[in-house]
Amino acid sequence: KLLGVAPLLGRRRLRFQRDGVIYGAAAGMGFAAFETVLYGRASLEAGGAVLSVLWVRALLSPFGHGTWTAIAAAGLFRSKGSGSVRADAVVLQALASSIALHALWDWLPLPGPAGLAWFAVLGALGLWILSANLRRTVSESARSALALNPELANAAQHPPPILCEVCGQ
């Protein structure tokens, strides 16, 4: 899944951790959709309940591949900045988190309905890690805006909006 994001790492315009979250989530969800099609086909060939398999996978997919890949890609983009990716503690922690969440998801120690509780706990943990990354992206964006517009640091409590020179938004 990260191979889908890898070509984007070379683009200088994509240098923020938020870029990694967005593209990582998109790549992960694309992979989840493809995997769901394969599960549905296998279930159809086995004579199983295709719709129930597809519904469960569709409901759980945002808590799986999309989240895990967003976490890993966020770590890659955070270490990249405007340069190249470095294998530092941030990247290793992001990759380890993603791999651990995926391995625990595949492990499924609880059978039946208790397995859904297991998925819920892992999904909540993944979203908590991802939300910590997103909170960092907000401060990263604010620091970048101040670096590009130092006059905003001296502005009153309600600084003037930053307008795009091209579109006026």
Side-chain angles (χ1 to χ4, degrees):
K1 294 172 285 193
L2 285 176
L3 289 177
V5 178
L8 301 174
L9 289 169
R11 294 188 180 178
R12 293 186 55 81
R13 292 184 65 204
L14 302 176
R15 62 180 170 270
F16 297 109
Q17 187 176 8
R18 185 175 291 177
D19 297 325
V21 170
I22 292 167
Y23 289 112
M29 291 304 291
F31 179 84
F34 179 70
E35 189 180 56
T36 297
V37 168
L38 294 179
Y39 270 93
R41 184 172 179 211
S43 179
L44 183 64
E45 290 173 358
V50 176
L51 285 179
S52 63
V53 168
L54 295 179
W55 271 108
V56 169
R57 290 197 56 82
L59 291 173
L60 293 177
S61 65
F63 307 105
H65 292 290
T67 301
W68 306 328
T69 312
I71 292 168
L76 290 171
F77 275 82
R78 183 172 177 213
S79 82
K80 170 191 175 290
S82 61
S84 58
V85 177
R86 300 172 304 278
D88 58 8
V90 171
V91 171
L92 295 177
Q93 182 182 15
L95 292 176
S97 298
S98 297
I99 291 168
L101 286 169
H102 196 310
L104 289 170
W105 189 277
D106 288 343
W107 179 37
L108 190 60
L110 305 170
L116 289 178
W118 176 254
F119 290 140
V121 168
L122 288 176
L125 179 60
L127 290 176
W128 179 77
I129 293 169
L130 185 58
S131 70
N133 283 327
L134 287 172
R135 282 190 299 276
R136 267 195 302 273
T137 67
V138 170
S139 66
E140 181 183 69
S141 298
R143 286 192 313 269
S144 297
L146 286 175
L148 294 172
N149 304 286
E151 68 277 3
L152 292 178
N154 299 326
Q157 287 284 23
H158 301 287
I162 301 172
L163 298 177
C164 175
E165 293 177 9
V166 176
C167 66
Q169 290 187 348

